[in-house]
């Protein structure tokens, strides 16, 4: 039982360490936005957020 607990804590600690590496070594030190509206490649393809699509559909 203790071995499983220690392995779990070790895996979680490694995950946090890898996330911290991205924050420390990235230029601005923050994660990119997961929102569709903040992604220029998706906007260029005409893909919008569901809320934006709903607003457009209600205007018609």
């Amino acid at each position: 039982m203790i071995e499983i607990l220690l392995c779990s804590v070790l895996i979680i600690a490694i995950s946090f360490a890898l996330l911290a590496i991205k924050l420390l070594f990235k230029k601005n030190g923050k994660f990119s936005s997961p929102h569709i509206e903040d992604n220029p490649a998706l906007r260029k393809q005409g893909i919008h957020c569901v809320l934006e699509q709903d607003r457009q559909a209600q205007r018609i």
Side-chain angles (χ1 to χ4, degrees):
M1 181 71 174
I2 296 293
E3 295 87 15
I4 294 174
L5 181 63
L6 290 175
C7 287
S8 300
V9 169
L10 181 65
I11 290 172
I12 292 170
I14 291 171
S15 301
F16 275 112
L18 292 174
L19 286 171
I21 288 173
K22 181 176 181 178
L23 289 175
L24 291 174
F25 293 115
K26 196 171 177 187
K27 187 174 183 178
N28 292 332
K30 59 183 176 181
F31 291 108
S32 59
S33 175
H35 297 285
I36 292 174
E37 60 195 25
D38 296 334
N39 190 328
L42 291 176
R43 277 189 279 146
K44 185 186 280 187
Q45 292 178 3
I47 299 172
H48 300 284
C49 176
V50 172
L51 297 174
E52 181 64 31
Q53 289 176 351
D54 188 42
R55 280 187 219 118
Q56 289 177 356
Q58 289 180 2
R59 286 184 203 147
I60 297 176

XYZ file of all heavy atoms in Angstrom:
475
model
N 0.827 -1.201 0.000
C 0.000 0.000 0.000
C 0.869 1.261 0.000
O 0.575 2.198 -0.731
C -0.921 -0.061 1.233
C -1.837 1.099 1.345
S -3.085 1.010 0.075
C -4.100 2.348 0.531
N 1.903 1.261 0.823
C 2.788 2.422 0.906
C 3.524 2.619 -0.414
O 3.745 3.760 -0.849
C 3.797 2.243 2.075
C 3.076 2.205 3.408
C 4.868 3.311 2.071
C 2.420 3.507 3.792
N 3.890 1.507 -1.087
C 4.606 1.612 -2.360
C 3.752 2.311 -3.414
O 4.242 3.146 -4.174
C 5.023 0.228 -2.872
C 6.031 -0.480 -2.006
C 5.370 -1.284 -0.896
O 4.145 -1.526 -0.955
O 6.089 -1.647 0.049
N 2.480 1.984 -3.449
C 1.566 2.607 -4.415
C 1.413 4.087 -4.109
O 1.426 4.929 -5.017
C 0.196 1.894 -4.395
C 0.346 0.467 -4.908
C -0.814 2.661 -5.247
C -0.904 -0.361 -4.787
N 1.297 4.433 -2.862
C 1.175 5.830 -2.459
C 2.436 6.612 -2.838
O 2.354 7.718 -3.384
C 0.905 5.935 -0.964
C 0.726 7.347 -0.416
C -0.500 7.995 -1.036
C 0.634 7.332 1.086
N 3.589 6.045 -2.571
C 4.845 6.711 -2.917
C 5.015 6.869 -4.428
O 5.472 7.911 -4.902
C 6.029 5.950 -2.319
C 6.163 6.033 -0.799
C 7.302 5.149 -0.321
C 6.360 7.456 -0.349
N 4.642 5.838 -5.170
C 4.710 5.935 -6.635
C 3.769 7.020 -7.158
O 4.126 7.774 -8.062
C 4.374 4.591 -7.274
S 5.658 3.350 -7.092
N 2.597 7.101 -6.593
C 1.632 8.125 -7.007
C 2.159 9.527 -6.716
O 2.077 10.428 -7.559
C 0.300 7.935 -6.292
O -0.236 6.675 -6.583
N 2.705 9.721 -5.521
C 3.260 11.020 -5.153
C 4.441 11.364 -6.055
O 4.590 12.515 -6.482
C 3.658 11.025 -3.662
C 4.469 12.255 -3.314
C 2.426 10.918 -2.788
N 5.264 10.382 -6.387
C 6.403 10.608 -7.270
C 5.947 11.017 -8.672
O 6.488 11.963 -9.254
C 7.273 9.355 -7.343
C 8.510 9.457 -8.216
C 9.472 10.476 -7.642
C 9.165 8.106 -8.356
N 4.937 10.366 -9.192
C 4.419 10.709 -10.527
C 3.838 12.126 -10.521
O 4.066 12.910 -11.442
C 3.359 9.675 -10.974
C 4.046 8.342 -11.273
C 2.584 10.171 -12.191
C 3.097 7.201 -11.529
N 3.101 12.480 -9.482
C 2.536 13.832 -9.391
C 3.636 14.873 -9.270
O 3.587 15.934 -9.900
C 1.540 13.915 -8.210
C 0.314 13.060 -8.511
C 1.136 15.353 -7.928
C -0.622 12.875 -7.355
N 4.671 14.581 -8.487
C 5.788 15.513 -8.328
C 6.529 15.715 -9.649
O 6.903 16.846 -9.996
C 6.741 15.002 -7.255
N 6.734 14.655 -10.401
C 7.390 14.773 -11.709
C 6.539 15.607 -12.656
O 7.058 16.450 -13.400
C 7.679 13.374 -12.296
C 8.773 12.682 -11.478
C 8.083 13.459 -13.759
C 8.989 11.228 -11.828
N 5.231 15.421 -12.627
C 4.333 16.206 -13.480
C 4.413 17.690 -13.156
O 4.507 18.527 -14.054
C 2.888 15.725 -13.321
O 2.776 14.374 -13.657
N 4.391 18.020 -11.878
C 4.510 19.428 -11.476
C 5.859 20.010 -11.874
O 5.949 21.164 -12.296
C 4.292 19.586 -9.967
C 2.850 19.697 -9.577
C 2.242 18.684 -8.856
C 2.099 20.808 -9.932
C 0.910 18.785 -8.498
C 0.769 20.915 -9.572
C 0.169 19.892 -8.853
N 6.912 19.215 -11.756
C 8.243 19.685 -12.133
C 8.311 19.975 -13.630
O 8.884 20.991 -14.052
C 9.294 18.652 -11.744
N 7.714 19.124 -14.438
C 7.717 19.355 -15.890
C 6.895 20.588 -16.253
O 7.272 21.345 -17.154
C 7.211 18.115 -16.626
C 8.135 16.900 -16.547
C 7.468 15.688 -17.180
C 9.476 17.184 -17.196
N 5.791 20.811 -15.572
C 5.012 22.026 -15.810
C 5.799 23.269 -15.400
O 5.747 24.300 -16.076
C 3.687 21.971 -15.045
C 2.626 21.042 -15.603
C 1.463 20.932 -14.638
C 2.157 21.514 -16.958
N 6.524 23.173 -14.308
C 7.319 24.308 -13.840
C 8.441 24.626 -14.822
O 8.783 25.796 -15.019
C 7.889 24.011 -12.463
N 9.005 23.607 -15.438
C 10.069 23.841 -16.427
C 9.540 24.688 -17.568
O 10.201 25.619 -18.021
C 10.633 22.497 -16.933
C 11.473 21.850 -15.837
C 11.473 22.691 -18.191
C 11.928 20.451 -16.159
N 8.329 24.386 -18.031
C 7.754 25.178 -19.114
C 7.570 26.634 -18.672
O 7.851 27.556 -19.431
C 6.420 24.597 -19.569
C 5.813 25.379 -20.706
C 4.548 24.771 -21.237
C 4.033 25.622 -22.381
N 2.838 25.075 -22.970
N 7.114 26.838 -17.462
C 6.905 28.206 -16.977
C 8.220 28.952 -16.786
O 8.305 30.145 -17.040
C 6.132 28.183 -15.658
C 4.671 27.799 -15.754
C 4.064 27.708 -14.366
C 3.898 28.769 -16.602
N 9.241 28.267 -16.328
C 10.514 28.925 -16.053
C 11.295 29.265 -17.316
O 11.919 30.316 -17.399
C 11.381 28.031 -15.153
C 10.883 27.868 -13.722
C 11.746 26.854 -12.995
C 10.889 29.183 -12.993
N 11.283 28.392 -18.295
C 12.128 28.577 -19.470
C 11.427 29.201 -20.665
O 12.061 29.531 -21.650
C 12.768 27.248 -19.885
C 13.749 26.746 -18.874
C 13.512 25.578 -18.185
C 14.894 27.465 -18.597
C 14.412 25.115 -17.246
C 15.802 27.018 -17.659
C 15.561 25.842 -16.985
N 10.126 29.367 -20.594
C 9.399 30.028 -21.662
C 9.617 31.533 -21.557
O 9.784 32.064 -20.458
C 7.908 29.693 -21.575
C 7.153 30.014 -22.824
C 5.749 29.472 -22.769
C 5.037 29.892 -24.028
N 3.647 29.563 -23.992
N 9.610 32.215 -22.682
C 9.960 33.633 -22.707
C 9.081 34.484 -21.782
O 9.575 35.234 -20.967
C 9.873 34.159 -24.140
C 10.388 35.573 -24.289
C 10.412 35.989 -25.731
C 11.001 37.372 -25.870
N 11.093 37.791 -27.247
N 7.772 34.382 -21.900
C 6.872 35.187 -21.061
C 6.517 34.494 -19.750
O 5.898 35.093 -18.884
C 5.593 35.529 -21.819
C 5.856 36.467 -22.959
O 6.794 37.246 -22.925
N 5.042 36.392 -23.999
N 6.838 33.233 -19.627
C 6.590 32.509 -18.387
C 5.139 32.236 -18.085
O 4.748 32.195 -16.929
N 4.302 32.049 -19.100
C 2.912 31.690 -18.858
C 2.433 30.766 -19.972
O 3.037 30.670 -21.030
C 2.018 32.924 -18.762
C 2.016 33.795 -19.986
C 1.157 35.022 -19.753
C 1.236 35.945 -20.954
N 0.442 37.137 -20.771
N 1.340 30.074 -19.702
C 0.782 29.150 -20.678
C -0.024 29.913 -21.713
O -0.579 30.975 -21.436
C -0.122 28.123 -19.991
C 0.629 27.160 -19.127
C 0.545 27.232 -17.758
C 1.423 26.180 -19.686
C 1.227 26.354 -16.952
C 2.112 25.284 -18.901
C 2.014 25.373 -17.526
N -0.104 29.353 -22.895
C -0.927 29.972 -23.928
C -2.403 29.777 -23.584
O -2.772 28.870 -22.848
C -0.624 29.353 -25.290
O -0.870 27.962 -25.257
N -3.234 30.625 -24.140
C -4.660 30.573 -23.852
C -5.298 29.368 -24.548
O -5.061 29.124 -25.723
C -5.335 31.857 -24.335
O -6.724 31.762 -24.174
N -6.143 28.635 -23.861
C -6.809 27.491 -24.484
C -8.076 27.873 -25.258
O -8.706 27.023 -25.867
C -7.165 26.606 -23.294
C -7.389 27.574 -22.190
C -6.393 28.687 -22.427
N -8.433 29.147 -25.253
C -9.661 29.575 -25.906
C -9.489 29.655 -27.416
O -8.450 30.080 -27.921
C -10.098 30.942 -25.375
C -10.430 30.915 -23.920
N -11.584 30.376 -23.431
C -9.734 31.347 -22.847
C -11.592 30.482 -22.123
N -10.473 31.065 -21.734
N -10.517 29.282 -28.128
C -10.479 29.298 -29.590
C -10.337 30.727 -30.104
O -9.611 30.976 -31.056
C -11.755 28.628 -30.155
C -11.723 27.141 -29.837
C -11.896 28.857 -31.644
C -12.977 26.407 -30.218
N -10.981 31.663 -29.448
C -10.959 33.045 -29.930
C -9.571 33.680 -29.818
O -9.287 34.658 -30.497
C -11.973 33.882 -29.157
C -11.695 33.917 -27.679
C -12.866 34.435 -26.876
O -14.009 34.334 -27.330
O -12.610 34.935 -25.782
N -8.686 33.114 -29.007
C -7.337 33.645 -28.864
C -6.331 32.982 -29.807
O -5.158 33.327 -29.781
C -6.853 33.474 -27.425
C -7.674 34.282 -26.449
O -8.258 35.300 -26.877
O -7.740 33.906 -25.267
N -6.773 32.040 -30.622
C -5.884 31.311 -31.514
C -5.995 31.891 -32.919
O -7.006 31.716 -33.597
C -6.255 29.830 -31.518
C -5.240 28.979 -32.227
O -4.607 29.409 -33.176
N -5.110 27.746 -31.767
N -4.950 32.583 -33.417
C -5.037 33.224 -34.734
C -5.162 32.229 -35.887
O -5.801 32.534 -36.893
C -3.750 34.033 -34.845
C -2.873 33.591 -33.757
C -3.694 32.883 -32.752
N -4.597 31.047 -35.763
C -4.692 30.058 -36.840
C -6.134 29.591 -37.027
O -6.598 29.419 -38.159
C -3.779 28.872 -36.548
N -6.851 29.407 -35.926
C -8.249 28.992 -36.036
C -9.123 30.127 -36.564
O -10.052 29.895 -37.349
C -8.772 28.509 -34.682
C -8.170 27.198 -34.170
C -8.696 26.888 -32.779
C -8.467 26.059 -35.104
N -8.831 31.348 -36.142
C -9.593 32.491 -36.655
C -9.389 32.648 -38.154
O -10.321 32.987 -38.880
C -9.192 33.768 -35.930
C -9.905 33.933 -34.606
C -9.660 35.282 -34.022
N -8.345 35.209 -33.362
C -7.478 36.194 -33.284
N -7.756 37.362 -33.777
N -6.326 36.042 -32.682
N -8.170 32.398 -38.632
C -7.878 32.516 -40.058
C -8.685 31.488 -40.862
O -9.113 31.762 -41.976
C -6.383 32.285 -40.300
C -5.968 32.500 -41.747
C -4.517 32.130 -41.977
C -3.607 33.233 -41.510
N -2.192 32.966 -41.868
N -8.931 30.326 -40.273
C -9.705 29.282 -40.940
C -11.214 29.500 -40.802
O -11.999 28.758 -41.354
C -9.353 27.912 -40.372
C -7.951 27.472 -40.690
C -7.623 26.137 -40.059
O -8.464 25.502 -39.426
N -6.390 25.701 -40.224
N -11.602 30.504 -40.052
C -13.020 30.803 -39.879
C -13.680 30.004 -38.771
O -14.901 29.914 -38.712
N -12.888 29.413 -37.899
C -13.429 28.640 -36.781
C -13.594 29.580 -35.594
O -12.661 30.261 -35.194
C -12.495 27.469 -36.425
C -12.358 26.534 -37.629
C -13.018 26.718 -35.208
C -11.321 25.458 -37.453
N -14.807 29.614 -35.040
C -15.097 30.528 -33.942
C -15.582 29.749 -32.731
O -15.929 28.577 -32.813
C -16.172 31.537 -34.348
C -15.775 32.377 -35.513
N -14.893 33.414 -35.414
C -16.134 32.310 -36.811
C -14.721 33.963 -36.593
N -15.464 33.309 -37.461
N -15.638 30.425 -31.627
C -16.142 29.871 -30.378
C -17.635 29.540 -30.540
O -18.345 30.185 -31.304
C -15.931 30.896 -29.272
S -16.597 30.409 -27.686
N -18.096 28.562 -29.793
C -19.507 28.172 -29.853
C -20.402 29.336 -29.456
O -21.461 29.551 -30.062
C -19.758 26.960 -28.945
C -21.225 26.642 -28.836
C -19.010 25.758 -29.441
N -19.979 30.106 -28.481
C -20.791 31.247 -28.052
C -20.900 32.284 -29.163
O -21.970 32.867 -29.377
C -20.188 31.882 -26.796
C -20.157 30.989 -25.560
C -19.407 31.675 -24.435
C -21.549 30.611 -25.142
N -19.805 32.512 -29.884
C -19.833 33.459 -31.002
C -20.722 32.937 -32.128
O -21.493 33.694 -32.728
C -18.415 33.705 -31.518
C -18.347 34.687 -32.663
C -18.792 36.088 -32.277
O -18.604 36.484 -31.122
O -19.331 36.795 -33.158
N -20.652 31.653 -32.405
C -21.509 31.066 -33.439
C -22.974 31.170 -33.046
O -23.844 31.425 -33.887
C -21.126 29.609 -33.678
C -19.798 29.438 -34.373
C -19.403 27.990 -34.521
O -20.039 27.094 -33.960
N -18.354 27.745 -35.278
N -23.269 30.990 -31.762
C -24.646 31.109 -31.285
C -25.142 32.541 -31.430
O -26.272 32.766 -31.872
C -24.720 30.658 -29.836
C -26.148 30.565 -29.321
O -27.004 30.063 -30.079
O -26.392 31.016 -28.190
N -24.295 33.519 -31.109
C -24.694 34.923 -31.274
C -24.978 35.249 -32.728
O -25.941 35.940 -33.043
C -23.591 35.843 -30.751
C -23.589 36.003 -29.265
C -22.588 37.062 -28.831
N -21.966 36.584 -27.611
C -20.686 36.319 -27.456
N -19.839 36.538 -28.407
N -20.234 35.859 -26.313
N -24.133 34.751 -33.629
C -24.340 35.001 -35.058
C -25.619 34.347 -35.548
O -26.354 34.915 -36.355
C -23.144 34.492 -35.859
C -21.899 35.310 -35.696
C -20.724 34.733 -36.453
O -20.818 33.665 -37.059
N -19.604 35.440 -36.425
N -25.915 33.145 -35.055
C -27.130 32.454 -35.482
C -28.387 33.170 -34.988
O -29.404 33.176 -35.678
C -27.111 31.019 -34.957
N -28.323 33.778 -33.826
C -29.490 34.487 -33.293
C -29.720 35.810 -33.990
O -30.841 36.315 -34.005
C -29.309 34.702 -31.785
C -29.436 33.433 -30.992
C -29.265 33.650 -29.502
O -29.086 34.776 -29.052
N -29.317 32.570 -28.736
N -28.678 36.391 -34.583
C -28.833 37.662 -35.306
C -29.566 37.474 -36.627
O -30.203 38.383 -37.116
C -27.468 38.278 -35.600
C -26.814 38.861 -34.413
C -25.512 39.531 -34.801
N -24.633 39.606 -33.647
C -23.344 39.540 -33.669
N -22.720 39.429 -34.817
N -22.635 39.599 -32.579
N -29.464 36.293 -37.200
C -30.057 36.045 -38.529
C -31.537 35.839 -38.472
O -32.232 35.668 -37.628
C -29.380 34.824 -39.194
C -27.920 35.126 -39.428
C -30.067 34.450 -40.480
C -27.124 33.979 -39.988
